Structures are given as structure tokens and as C-alpha cells.
Amino acid sequence: MQKQITEANFRLLLDSLLFKGQRVVGPRRSGSTVLYEPLASASDLVIDELPRRSVKEAFFPVCEDLLEYRKEGQQVQLTDVTPERFPETVLIGVRPCDAAAVPVLDAVFSWDYKDQFFLERRARTTIIGLACTTADDACFCTAVGLSPHDPKGADLMLTPLVGGGFLVESQSDKGEAFLETWKDRFAERDGTQPQELATPATQPFDLKKIKAWLDKHFEDAAWDSIATRCVGCGACAFVCPACHCFDIVDEGSEKAGKRRKFWDACGFSKFTNHASGHNPRDLQPKRYRNRIMHKFKYYDDKFGQTLCTGCGRCIRICPVGIDIAGVLEEIEGK
């Protein structure tokens, strides 16, 4: 279904959602940085800048409690955190590179174990995507098979129109239900043309060729040159919309505490450190190799898709200037 909405009605829609007590999360300026955060009013929404961190935090928080424990005498009391408490949420202004990562995470968190924390948040969230009309030098979504208006992962997709307002296209039953609930805010499409969309500069990669090289070159001197600059800070994994490594830790004392799930990253030096003291990825090139292998080989082997949406955040944030698109170009040229 296609509809359109004026800029004024779009802002009124947001305020109406908030007035009814709906939790609405979207790009919002926090100090000097734009982040996906709960909105207090329609005026909070920023639609002309990619948030610094990805939207995965809406489903997979940096840190979350799994249970609490308390010991009294010989008795241990466990209190579970119930996912049913998670609020219904509308995620709005989600860029295609972020929305496309959500189905990628779906496969991980519903594979051999059903992660009810992730899946319950997912079920209770409606994703409203926003097509991109600008791109910078770090954007490379088109190089990994996506586009600045790709609807993958979105329930509704907004595309800016010439003269203002948005074309609105439903992509799921959730999207249809949202349009029906708020039909007074939307109008029939009148033929107004979409604005010209962004055109990322990076040329499409031959992902099959890259994977074929990775299949045969786990041990290769090229990894030393490719990864020699990596300092193992983990920033790339923490801003990536598709990275999903985590650790589970008990915090507290013998008497009381919490079991918590934290983000982790394969680039950290202790990520694969065994209790014996042995570390199979004892050098940084091995750890960076795993990052590339995971995104463009291992995940593809398991789920048939690439663990990268070309958002470019890792390029922008890397303190030593590693460009993953440049790394892929180097591998493709071998």
C-alpha cells in the first residue's frame, strides 16, 4: 500500500503517538551527537543526519539484566526479568542500513536458541524507515547489495518527496496496521515525485569473489598487512548495526547480585582467552581476520547473507583510519 503524508501531518502524527503514551524512538540530538533515543516531542526528531550508533540497541541493549539472585542461609532466590514488560515501541527515521541489519540479527537470536529478550522487543516494535537523500565518503550500502531506499527490515518506508512530505509504503502487516490506525494523518498518493536519492561512491563488490578468496586464505601473509594498524579498541563492533557478540557475567557478591548480558567484540585481546591461558587469537591480525571472516564468510556460510550493511560507521569512527571498504577492495583485487 502506498500513501503520502505532509511534513506538518508527520510531526502531528509523532506528537499524537507521544500524547497517547506511545514510546517513540528516533534520531535525536544528544549534546553534539545524534543518537537513536526516546523522543519527548516531534521537534526532537533529526532526519538529516545518520545517528552515530546503530539502531540495534533498541533490541539488543549495551547491557541488560537477565536475572537477580539473593542468598539467605542455604536458600538461593532467583528473580527472572520478564520480557513481557518491554514496552510497545515505534522506531522512526530508521536508515536503510540500520533497518536491513535487523533481519540479520533475527537469524542469530532465533537460531539454535530463542533469545526471548531480543525476540520480545522485536515483536513489540514497529520500524518506520527513512530513505537517504545524502551520503558521505564512508557510505557503501550499494556495494554490499543494498540501496539508500532499500525497505528490508522496515514495516513502513518513508521517502522524501519533492516540495516536502513523504511517500509512505507499507512493507509488512505491522505497517498496514499502523496505516489503518492513523489513516486520518495519511493521504492518497497524488503523483508528487520522490527526491533524488543518495548515490554512494563505492562500486559494488563481487561478494562471491571475496568469499571465494576468504574460503582459501585463512592462513595468508596478506592478513599481516591488512590488519597491522588495528589497535583492538572494539569501536567498529560497537557502532556496527550487525555485530552481535556478547558476554554474560554475574555481578555482585556471594549474598546478592545480578546476571547481566554485555556487548563484547572479537577485536578485544581477551575475547578468545581460554581459562588455561591459551589464546588462539593472540595477535591483532588474527582478530581482525576474524572480523572480516565473520562478516563475509562465516555468517554467509551459516545464514546465506552478508553480516554488513555498508553503513560506514566503522570507517568514520576508527581511530587509526581502517577502511573496511578499502580492505574488501584489496581482497577483491587479489
Side-chain angles (χ1 to χ4, degrees), residues 111-153:
W111 169 46
D112 58 341
Y113 176 78
K114 306 294 184 185
D115 188 316
Q116 293 305 312
F117 290 82
F118 177 91
L119 295 176
E120 193 65 32
R121 288 189 180 94
R122 183 80 165 91
R124 292 171 180 263
T125 301
T126 298
I127 300 175
I128 302 179
L130 176 63
C132 298
T133 56
T134 60
D136 66 13
D137 291 342
C139 295
F140 64 101
C141 64
T142 51
V144 291
L146 298 172
S147 74
H149 58 92
D150 199 308
K152 182 181 179 182

Side-chain angles (χ1 to χ4, degrees), residues 303-321:
F303 298 112
Q305 55 185 328
T306 298
L307 191 68
C308 176
T309 62
C311 71
R313 287 186 177 91
C314 61
I315 299 171
R316 298 182 194 95
I317 204 168
C318 181
V320 293

Side-chain angles (χ1 to χ4, degrees), residues 47-108:
I47 60 173
D48 59 354
E49 188 173 337
L50 179 72
R52 183 180 180 88
R53 299 201 302 263
S54 81
V55 80
K56 74 180 176 186
E57 294 179 53
F59 310 101
F60 175 38
V62 177
C63 173
E64 66 179 327
D65 295 343
L66 302 181
L67 60 82
E68 296 183 16
Y69 67 88
R70 183 173 297 278
K71 183 178 181 182
E72 296 181 2
Q74 297 301 309
Q75 301 298 315
V76 178
Q77 179 182 351
L78 300 179
T79 303
D80 286 329
V81 175
T82 55
E84 291 77 10
R85 298 177 187 174
F86 299 151
E88 295 284 343
T89 299
V90 173
L91 265 173
I92 198 159
V94 179
R95 295 298 179 175
C97 53
D98 279 336
V102 180
V104 171
L105 296 176
D106 285 345
V108 173

